[in-house]
Amino acid sequence: MKNIALGQYYPTGSVIHRADPRMKLILAVLFIVCTFLCKNIYSFGAILLASVLLVLVSRIPLKTVLRSIRALLFIMIFTLVINVFMTKGEVLLFEWKFIHIYREGIVNACFMLVRIFALIIGTSILLTYTTTPIALTDAIESLLSPLKKIKLPIHEFAMMMTIALRFIPTLMEETEKIMAAQKARGADFTNGSLIKRAKALIPILIPLFVSAFRRADELSVAMECRCYHGGEGRTSMRVLKYRASDFLLFLAFAALCAGLIALNLLKTPFAL
Amino acid sequence: MSEIKLENVSYVYSEDTPYEKRALTDVTATIKSGAITGIIGHTGSGKSTLVQMLNGLTRPMSGRVLLDGKDIWEDPKKISDVRFRVGLVMQYPEYQLFDETIRADIAFGPKNMGLDKEEIERRVLEAADFAGVDREWLDKSPFDLSGGQKRRAAIAGIIAMRPEILVLDEPAAGLDPAGRKNIMEGLCAYRDKTGSSVVIVSHSMEDMAQYCDDIIVISDGRVIAQGKKEEVFSQSDLLRSVGLDIPQITLVMRLLADNGINVNTGVYTVEDAVNEIYKLI
Ligand SMILES: Nc1ncnc2c1ncn2[C@@H]1O[C@H](COP(=O)(O)OP(=O)(O)OP(=O)(O)O)[C@@H](O)[C@H]1O
Ligand SMILES: [Mg+2]
């Protein structure tokens, strides 16, 4: 339950945790671009190295990181199989009936694996593990704020996100409690036909909706009482500020980008 | 009737995450048959976690819960039988009513037990009486009742299953004195009429002293004292050290005794205290 409260936020106090969420958002985009820049074995090697480095710097336990990779294992295996069997190339390694495996297929498959791996690591280390959802919302609001000029309700959108994020764990907790209470009266949510199980949900949904509306009502009254009136001229308790270390991080990523482009120029038979 | 024993029960929330929290550590306790047992402890000490073990809503990570000597988790498929025998009223139950009428809501438990219509109706009325639910409320919607009235309806919903052991997590929290008294007396009546055991979690030492036979004290997920209420409340230093206190009237008697006045300090209600003091005159 707490997991959902904080997303997968895993506090270790590392440099990445302390970085400005806006910078992390930008860096995550940059890192994604980097993974798509890679063209040959050198650049793929470099991005792999960079991913591992990210994990080490963030000090998130390997076990936790691997857990998020396991969730995408199926996609990885699927990509591997497709690439190995479907790529046509020049160097035939193996042939049996209609199956042809080329060296290029194997190379491509490995590259794709590295790319997916780097994508997961990059986004999860830079965003989900080291940034709370609330900080991320603040960052999005700040980055999108120029769009307020063309009358897009950015602040309202961010406020809605923040409130939703704030109340998801509360609702989860409530659901759990209500389920427990109905279980204590012999409700059965796991056995029986589909219709029976759907019916068993009514005793949960009704109190849940009632309390959600009650909460919404209370919250709006509380906001009125504190004279909330939208984004115009509002300041924030958490003021986002870029620091020197943020720019250093940015430089590191820019260097990675440039390095990858340079590595792409090296000649090797192992290339896309 | 029935007795529950907890043997070396431990429970950890969010295990293996940075938010890991030990809620119960090696808890061994006995809920005696036919007694009213009080569970006291400061906020966050693990009382709610403990009572949810009693009817199998949470499963201990280690240790056993024995109902009449039989491990309730021996056959997890039969856990709902345990839940009918051990009725649990959770903290703030008023937010859990869902049916169109109070009558239908109280009938939810008995219906799940597969009882027939007449029996259900009989039990609804009986439970309503024990919990202090007015007959007039029965055909109202839960949303037309006040918080305290809904609380009673929710308690009736559990009593209607006629549990051999009735467990209530802070049944009287947030009610006025008359309401507290009414609920506590209803619970005593339930015990006296049916011979069932009753377990009550409460922050009110006064209520505990007045209505309970046995007391279990927990602090930081450990049982630090249990036994007859006289034994437990005689350990006032221990209770104070974990942020609890003895009932105020007992404290008054204790102070009188300390000042050399010859009174009985094992007194837990104002009436008894008055009688004690009359004896002096
Ligand atoms: N669902 C949960 N997830 C994580 N931790 C929890 C959860 N429920 C309770 N805890 C923690 O376990 C400990 C014991 O909680 P519990 O609810 O049993 O306390 P309590 O004695 O009933 O307190 P109160 O008097 O406030 O009701 C607390 O420290 C609490 O923070
Ligand atoms: Mg509690």
Side-chain angles (χ1 to χ4, degrees):
Chain A
M1 213 163 47
K2 284 259 168 54
N3 274 344
I4 293 163
L6 295 166
Q8 296 182 319
Y9 186 67
Y10 196 108
T12 66
S14 73
V15 182
I16 302 184
H17 285 79
R18 281 177 282 134
D20 187 292
R22 287 171 298 181
M23 186 53 88
K24 281 192 269 188
L25 208 58
I26 296 169
L27 293 183
V29 174
L30 201 58
F31 197 81
I32 292 171
V33 172
C34 279
T35 56
F36 284 99
L37 280 178
C38 300
K39 289 257 159 358
N40 64 20
I41 190 162
Y42 299 116
S43 47
F44 272 108
I47 198 90
L48 191 62
L49 205 69
S51 312
V52 173
L53 212 63
L54 260 183
V55 176
L56 292 181
V57 171
S58 72
R59 300 212 299 267
I60 309 267
L62 211 59
K63 209 170 103 191
T64 313
V65 178
L66 289 181
R67 214 179 291 156
S68 70
I69 290 181
R70 206 171 49 200
L72 287 172
L73 205 60
F74 174 74
I75 293 184
M76 293 174 90
I77 292 174
F78 187 72
T79 323
L80 188 79
V81 171
I82 291 281
N83 273 291
V84 167
F85 291 107
M86 296 301 189
T87 313
K88 295 248 171 334
E90 284 155 9
V91 192
L92 192 63
L93 294 179
F94 178 82
E95 191 173 21
W96 181 71
K97 289 194 180 156
F98 55 90
I99 298 176
H100 305 269
I101 294 180
Y102 298 90
R103 193 186 72 195
E104 284 80 356
I106 305 238
V107 170
N108 268 6
C110 292
F111 284 174
M112 286 308 137
L113 272 195
V114 171
R115 183 171 282 167
I116 294 176
F117 177 80
L119 278 175
I120 301 172
I121 297 285
T123 48
S124 61
I125 292 291
L126 283 167
L127 300 176
T128 46
Y129 284 130
T130 60
T131 321
T132 58
I134 295 286
L136 209 54
T137 319
D138 285 349
I140 293 172
E141 176 176 7
S142 169
L143 286 174
L144 293 183
S145 62
L147 296 180
K148 283 179 191 161
K149 294 246 159 56
I150 54 166
K151 293 265 172 340
L152 280 181
I154 300 299
H155 169 78
E156 284 70 15
F157 165 74
M159 193 62 177
M160 271 159 48
M161 285 273 285
T162 310
I163 292 176
L165 286 171
R166 162 64 187 78
F167 281 100
I168 287 171
T170 313
L171 284 181
M172 295 288 297
E173 201 173 308
E174 197 122 321
T175 314
E176 229 163 68
K177 262 195 208 146
I178 293 170
M179 276 179 91
Q182 313 301 21
K183 267 195 228 159
R185 297 206 272 167
D188 186 354
F189 303 116
T190 44
N191 296 321
S193 66
L194 201 62
I195 295 174
K196 219 174 141 195
R197 266 183 293 168
K199 265 193 176 158
L201 286 179
I202 294 175
I204 303 172
L205 290 181
I206 291 176
L208 197 62
F209 272 102
V210 170
S211 88
F213 284 124
R214 185 173 46 85
R215 268 181 216 291
D217 205 38
E218 282 167 5
L219 182 69
S220 65
V221 170
M223 286 168 81
E224 288 276 320
C225 288
R226 297 189 208 172
C227 306
Y228 175 81
H229 57 83
E232 201 61 36
R234 234 181 121 68
T235 55
S236 171
M237 190 176 95
R238 300 174 295 264
V239 181
L240 297 177
K241 243 199 205 129
Y242 290 115
R243 289 179 310 178
S245 57
D246 292 323
F247 291 107
L248 285 181
L249 264 180
F250 184 77
L251 277 184
F253 273 67
L256 174 68
C257 239
L260 289 177
I261 294 172
L263 287 172
N264 277 339
L265 298 176
L266 294 176
K267 280 236 164 329
T268 154
F270 299 103
L272 275 184
Chain B
M1 289 277 283
S2 317
E3 184 181 78
I4 300 189
K5 267 201 168 94
L6 297 168
E7 278 184 0
N8 310 97
V9 168
S10 298
Y11 193 79
V12 183
Y13 283 107
S14 317
E15 200 177 23
D16 286 337
T17 71
Y19 313 104
E20 186 169 295
K21 168 84 205 164
R22 286 205 140 265
L24 292 178
T25 313
D26 203 18
V27 167
T28 298
T30 307
I31 311 278
K32 288 214 196 75
S33 158
I36 297 189
T37 305
I39 299 181
I40 57 179
H42 58 81
T43 291
S45 54
K47 303 182 297 295
S48 298
T49 314
L50 180 72
V51 293
Q52 286 180 28
M53 300 274 161
L54 299 180
N55 77 335
L57 270 183
T58 39
R59 187 173 183 162
M61 288 178 170
S62 62
R64 301 193 302 164
V65 182
L66 304 173
L67 177 58
D68 283 338
K70 213 170 137 238
D71 189 349
I72 64 169
W73 287 103
E74 204 173 84
D75 184 1
K77 286 207 191 79
K78 295 222 172 100
I79 198 69
S80 65
D81 295 344
V82 173
R83 292 185 185 145
F84 292 133
R85 292 178 61 194
V86 183
L88 171 66
V89 181
M90 310 237 305
Q91 211 165 355
Y92 301 113
E94 53 269 34
Y95 298 123
Q96 291 143 11
L97 303 179
F98 67 92
D99 226 319
E100 277 168 51
T101 63
I102 294 293
R103 183 191 302 275
D105 207 281
I106 298 177
F108 183 66
K111 221 164 48 232
N112 286 332
M113 294 171 83
L115 300 175
D116 64 51
K117 256 205 160 95
E118 283 129 52
E119 178 65 17
I120 291 179
E121 182 59 22
R122 206 167 30 243
R123 289 198 176 194
V124 168
L125 293 180
E126 178 197 80
D129 289 345
F130 279 126
V133 175
D134 253 29
R135 295 268 163 110
E136 282 166 31
W137 306 345
L138 284 179
D139 293 307
K140 285 192 179 174
S141 151
F143 305 119
D144 295 336
L145 299 188
S146 78
Q149 292 167 337
K150 277 191 265 191
R151 174 89 55 91
R152 284 152 198 251
I155 294 175
I158 300 292
I159 291 184
M161 303 190 306
R162 226 180 259 167
E164 297 156 36
I165 299 165
L166 176 62
V167 186
L168 304 104
D169 198 348
E170 306 202 19
L175 298 184
D176 60 78
R180 304 176 74 86
K181 191 162 176 232
N182 194 293
I183 285 190
M184 298 306 271
E185 276 168 4
L187 298 178
C188 290
Y190 178 72
R191 191 267 306 256
D192 295 341
K193 275 234 182 82
T194 60
S196 308
S197 331
V198 176
V199 180
I200 302 172
V201 174
S202 172
H203 283 287
S204 160
M205 296 302 136
E206 276 67 36
D207 286 353
M208 290 314 223
Q210 190 170 351
Y211 299 105
C212 295
D213 305 308
D214 293 344
I215 302 272
I216 297 174
V217 187
I218 76 171
S219 167
D220 247 341
R222 290 171 195 276
V223 171
I224 57 162
Q226 59 178 317
K228 293 251 158 282
K229 75 174 165 208
E230 291 81 12
E231 294 164 25
V232 172
F233 281 129
S234 66
Q235 298 164 281
S236 60
D237 290 338
L238 180 71
L239 290 178
R240 280 218 197 103
S241 72
V242 298
L244 300 170
D245 215 336
I246 57 175
Q248 300 206 332
I249 194 65
T250 316
L251 192 65
V252 169
M253 300 305 272
R254 192 78 48 88
L255 287 174
L256 287 175
D258 285 350
N259 282 298
I261 299 168
N262 185 20
V263 287
N264 177 8
T265 54
V267 161
Y268 303 102
T269 63
V270 176
E271 287 111 72
D272 290 350
V274 169
N275 288 334
E276 271 297 314
I277 291 172
Y278 269 140
K279 279 190 211 156
L280 291 176
I281 311 172

